């Protein structure tokens, strides 16, 4: 006979409703209880009947996630976190790439609204008013964007940037520049807050390798001895430009990134950058969405960031 949710509840010594929450809304169950339920589920080989659950709950068993650029290594890690947490609840994930186009972003959310139980929206470029309008269509959780009245999980970019500035200044650099990302990006504005007006700002540049290549040419003209980049992709473009023009990093110019993508350890020199807890952010986003689906309140959670010092930064040439 097929294993039922009652069999799981009996062996885990919890109620049927607790088993249901552990699988569909893990954020509402104590970690020890959730793990005990998952162990029993795995041991018994229990498979939730999605069709039956949908009829009972009125839910589809699907979640959606929209990212602005799947080619940016920052976002697949968030996707992994979303998929991991959703998979623990037996929920499927639909994902879409808006290609950094706000109009496409809004259309994707509207299209998915009738096919999923809720949507995770990453690094949205929409206005606050547009985000609120979409949140009225479907339960919505934002990643790296703060809008009043809409649940969100944030990674503390401002503090991360403060750590970068303190590091650069501790190395004796007084003339340093910030190579900014898209002016409409919420994360760019947060990083600017972390600068506290202590760096000359260049750009906004496209948040990719080509943007960094262009930014490096402008930054060299400033005479700065340290380049602080909006993200790691811009930093990689900067490193490539400097290498082609025989500018030594970090002996002549120190370079920092932001995000700590995989390539930050693979480039030469390895990149000093800020680690962003992207996978954890994806997991938390699903937990917040589960809370909304169970009638819970709008919530905001902020995760800490951490500077990772590698070989692309060193003491100012005149203070070494």
């Amino acid at each position: 006979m097929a294993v039922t949710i009652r069999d799981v509840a009996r062996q885990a010594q919890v109620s049927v409703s607790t088993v249901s929450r552990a699988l569909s809304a893990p954020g509402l169950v104590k970690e020890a209880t959730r793990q005990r339920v998952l162990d029993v589920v795995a041991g018994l080989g229990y498979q939730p009947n999605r069709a039956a659950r949908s009829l009972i709950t009125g839910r589809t068993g699907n979640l959606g996630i929209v990212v602005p650029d799947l080619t940016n290594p920052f976002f697949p890690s968030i996707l992994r976190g979303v998929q991991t947490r959703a998979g623990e609840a037996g929920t499927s994930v639909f994902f879409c790439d808006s290609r950094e186009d706000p109009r496409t972003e809004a259309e994707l959310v509207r299209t998915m609204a009738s096919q999923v139980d809720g949507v995770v929206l990453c690094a949205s470029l929409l206005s606050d008013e547009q985000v609120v309008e979409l949140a009225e269509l479907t339960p919505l959780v934002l990643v790296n964007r703060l809008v009043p009245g809409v649940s969100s999980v944030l990674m503390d970019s401002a503090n991360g940037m403060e750590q970068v500035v303190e590091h650069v200044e501790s190395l004796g650099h007084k003339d340093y520049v910030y190579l900014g990302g898209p002016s409409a990006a919420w994360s760019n504005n947060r990083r600017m807050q972390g600068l506290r007006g202590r760096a000359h700002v260049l750009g906004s540049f496209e948040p990719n390798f080509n943007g960094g290549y262009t930014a490096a040419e402008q930054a060299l003209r400033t005479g700065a001895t340290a380049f602080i980049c909006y993200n790691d992709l811009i930093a990689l473009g900067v490193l490539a430009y400097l290498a082609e023009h025989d500018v030594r990093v970090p002996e002549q110019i120190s370079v920092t990134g932001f995000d700590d993508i995989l390539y930050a350890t693979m480039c030469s020199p390895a990149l000093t950058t800020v680690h962003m807890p992207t996978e954890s952010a994806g997991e938390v986003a699903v937990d917040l969405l589960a809370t909304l689906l169970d009638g819970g309140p709008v919530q905001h959670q902020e995760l800490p960031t951490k500077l990772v010092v590698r070989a692309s930064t060193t003491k100012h040439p005149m203070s070494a």
Side-chain angles (χ1 to χ4, degrees):
M1 295 180 63
V3 177
T4 69
I5 193 171
R6 289 180 175 78
D7 297 326
V8 174
R10 188 179 305 111
Q11 185 161 326
Q13 298 182 329
V14 297
S15 67
V16 169
S17 61
T18 297
V19 174
S20 178
R21 283 194 296 272
L23 297 178
S24 62
L28 300 179
V29 179
K30 291 182 179 178
E31 178 60 25
T33 302
R34 186 180 75 88
Q35 192 57 55
R36 187 164 76 249
V37 170
L38 293 178
D39 289 344
V40 171
V41 166
L44 295 179
Y46 172 66
Q47 293 291 332
N49 186 321
R50 179 170 294 180
R53 187 171 65 184
S54 178
L55 289 172
I56 294 170
T57 65
R59 297 180 184 175
T60 65
N62 303 318
L63 302 179
I65 177 170
V66 179
V67 301
D69 182 9
L70 271 177
T71 65
N72 185 335
F74 177 79
F75 294 108
S77 183
I78 296 176
L79 280 170
R80 188 183 303 115
V82 168
Q83 189 162 338
T84 296
R85 185 67 97 225
E88 292 171 354
T91 301
S92 298
V93 179
F94 299 158
F95 63 87
C96 299
D97 182 345
S98 69
R99 299 178 181 269
E100 298 198 16
D101 178 18
R103 182 176 299 179
T104 300
E105 183 182 322
E107 289 175 355
L108 288 171
V109 175
R110 291 191 182 99
T111 299
M112 286 196 295
S114 61
Q115 305 173 46
V116 300
D117 298 322
V119 174
V120 175
L121 190 56
C122 295
S124 176
L125 295 174
L126 297 170
S127 68
D128 287 5
E129 292 76 15
Q130 289 172 309
V131 170
V132 170
E133 179 184 339
L134 293 175
E136 293 174 352
L137 293 178
T138 184
L140 192 68
V141 172
L142 302 171
V143 175
N144 249 18
R145 173 71 186 278
L146 183 63
V147 174
V150 181
S151 288
S152 61
V153 52
L154 312 172
M155 289 167 272
D156 194 352
S157 294
N159 180 259
M161 185 56 76
E162 289 176 8
Q163 294 177 57
V164 171
V165 170
E166 290 172 3
H167 172 64
V168 168
E169 291 184 347
S170 74
L171 295 174
H173 296 278
K174 297 181 180 179
D175 295 320
Y176 50 91
V177 293
Y178 173 59
L179 311 184
S183 57
W186 183 85
S187 58
N188 185 61
N189 294 328
R190 288 285 290 171
R191 288 168 201 185
M192 295 272 286
Q193 291 176 22
L195 287 174
R196 296 184 178 179
R198 290 187 285 180
H200 178 61
V201 177
L202 293 180
S204 63
F205 298 101
E206 292 183 9
N208 53 37
F209 181 93
N210 291 335
Y213 197 89
T214 300
E217 182 179 9
Q218 295 185 29
L220 272 178
R221 299 192 196 114
T222 67
T225 58
F227 299 170
I228 297 174
C229 301
Y230 164 73
N231 68 5
D232 290 345
L233 292 180
I234 286 181
L236 293 175
V238 167
L239 291 178
Y241 183 92
L242 296 179
E244 288 182 14
H245 291 78
D246 298 319
V247 179
R248 299 189 311 277
V249 177
E251 292 83 1
Q252 292 175 271
I253 294 179
S254 289
V255 177
T256 69
F258 215 103
D259 292 343
D260 197 22
I261 63 175
L262 175 63
Y263 303 130
T265 61
M266 299 168 64
C267 60
S268 182
L271 188 63
T272 294
T273 186
V274 173
H275 177 75
M276 299 278 271
T278 47
E279 190 163 347
S280 295
E283 295 175 353
V284 172
V286 175
D287 291 343
L288 295 180
L289 201 51
T291 297
L292 292 176
L293 292 172
D294 281 351
V298 167
Q299 297 180 58
H300 305 286
Q301 290 194 31
E302 189 163 46
L303 306 180
T305 55
K306 182 180 180 181
L307 178 69
V308 180
V309 178
R310 299 193 179 103
S312 67
T313 51
T314 193
K315 288 185 177 181
H316 184 281
M318 299 302 293
S319 62

